[in-house]
C-alpha cells in the first residue's frame, strides 16, 4: 500500500502549495483597505543590495485607509519614496520628514471589477495547478498497474486523488469568494 502513497503524497503537496500560493497572491491584491502586504513586492536599494521594504523600515496600518512607513535610517526616506513611486501600485507617498504616509484611495467600480477579474484569473491558475497534480498522480498510478500494482488498489487510489482534488478546488473557490467579497464591499 505504500506504493500508492508515492503517488498520492506528492499530488497532495502540490495541491497544498497551489492553494498557499493563491492565498499569498490574493493577499497582495489591494481591496480598497490598507494592507501592508501590498508593499511586499517593493524592493529598496539598501547599501547596494535590493532589500524588501520591511527590512529597512517599520510598516504599520494606523487606520483603514492609511499605511505608515517609518524608516530605521533617515537616509532611506528618498530611497523608499522612489521605490514606491516606481512600483506598479500607482500610489504616491507623502513624506513629512518623520514618517512616510500612503493614503489608499477608495476604489472605483471599474477598478473593483478589474481586481475581481484579476483575482478570478489567479484562482483559475491555482485550479489548473491542482488539476495538473491530479493528472500526474493518476498517470503515475496507471503506470504502476503496468508494473504490477493491483487494479483495485489503483482504483481506490484514484478515488482518493479525486477526493483531494475536490477538497482543494473547494478551498480555492472559498478563497476567491472571500477576496471577491472583500473587493466588492464598499
Amino acid at each position: 500500500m505504500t506504493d500508492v502513497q508515492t503517488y498520492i503524497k506528492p499530488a497532495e503537496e502540490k495541491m497544498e502549495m497551489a492553494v498557499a500560493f493563491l492565498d499569498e497572491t490574493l493577499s497582495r491584491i489591494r481591496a480598497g483597505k490598507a494592507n501592508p502586504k501590498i508593499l511586499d513586492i517593493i524592493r529598496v536599494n539598501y547599501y547596494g543590495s535590493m532589500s524588501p521594504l520591511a527590512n529597512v523600515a517599520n510598516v504599520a496600518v494606523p487606520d483603514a485607509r492609511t499605511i505608515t512607513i517609518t524608516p530605521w535610517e533617515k537616509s532611506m526616506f528618498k530611497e523608499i519614496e522612489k521605490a514606491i513611486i516606481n512600483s506598479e501600485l500607482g500610489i504616491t507617498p507623502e513624506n513629512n520628514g518623520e514618517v512616510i504616509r500612503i493614503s489608499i484611495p477608495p476604489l472605483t467600480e471599474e477598478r473593483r471589477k478589474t481586481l475581481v477579474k484579476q483575482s478570478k484569473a489567479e484562482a483559475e491558475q491555482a485550479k489548473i495547478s491542482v488539476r495538473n497534480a491530479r493528472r500526474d498522480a493518476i498517470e503515475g498510478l496507471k503506470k504502476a498497474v503496468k508494473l504490477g500494482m493491483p487494479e483495485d488498489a489503483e482504483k481506490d487510489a484514484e478515488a482518493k486523488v479525486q477526493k483531494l482534488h475536490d477538497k482543494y478546488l473547494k478551498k480555492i473557490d472559498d478563497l476567491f469568494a472571500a477576496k471577491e467579497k472583500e473587493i466588492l464591499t464598499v
Side-chain angles (χ1 to χ4, degrees):
M1 215 44 187
T2 57
D3 212 18
V4 169
Q5 288 302 318
T6 59
Y7 300 103
I8 294 176
K9 200 74 178 147
E12 185 173 14
E13 287 171 5
K14 287 178 186 173
M15 291 176 189
E16 185 65 48
M17 286 178 8
V19 170
F21 183 77
L22 174 67
D23 191 29
E24 183 69 27
T25 304
L26 290 180
S27 71
R28 290 196 177 120
I29 294 176
R30 86 183 166 96
K33 292 187 200 111
N35 181 353
K37 284 195 171 192
I38 66 171
L39 300 176
D40 286 353
I41 58 172
I42 295 180
R43 300 281 182 254
V44 180
N45 185 358
Y46 185 63
Y47 296 111
S49 69
M50 297 308 279
S51 302
L53 180 61
N55 289 4
V56 297
N58 183 32
V59 179
V61 181
D63 61 60
R65 296 252 179 240
T66 310
I67 298 175
T68 59
I69 303 165
T70 311
W72 294 328
E73 298 176 23
K74 293 278 187 200
S75 62
M76 293 306 297
F77 273 101
K78 291 226 181 303
E79 287 293 329
I80 292 171
E81 273 189 307
K82 189 168 81 173
I84 293 170
I85 291 169
N86 293 338
S87 73
E88 55 205 49
L89 290 176
I91 298 174
T92 307
E94 303 164 16
N95 178 357
N96 67 3
E98 297 287 318
V99 174
I100 297 172
R101 288 189 200 293
I102 299 175
S103 296
I104 306 295
L107 297 172
T108 63
E109 190 62 32
E110 185 178 314
R111 182 71 177 137
R112 287 180 195 280
K113 288 178 182 173
T114 305
L115 290 174
V116 168
K117 280 183 187 174
Q118 181 183 350
S119 299
K120 187 171 183 71
E122 294 293 345
E124 197 53 47
Q125 283 299 107
K127 285 181 179 182
I128 289 169
S129 296
V130 169
R131 289 181 192 123
N132 287 343
R134 176 189 61 181
R135 184 196 64 223
D136 293 345
I138 289 174
E139 283 175 3
L141 288 166
K142 288 192 187 302
K143 286 178 184 170
V145 166
K146 291 177 184 172
L147 298 174
M149 179 191 286
E151 278 190 35
D152 58 338
E154 182 255 347
K155 290 294 179 197
D156 291 345
E158 270 189 41
K160 284 182 185 175
V161 170
Q162 185 61 42
K163 279 183 184 167
L164 284 173
H165 168 266
D166 296 344
K167 172 181 143 188
Y168 284 102
L169 282 189
K170 176 150 179 32
K171 281 185 180 183
I172 290 170
D173 287 337
D174 292 346
L175 282 172
F176 170 67
K179 188 63 178 185
E180 182 179 34
K181 183 180 177 194
E182 180 185 346
I183 291 170
L184 294 177
T185 301
V186 179

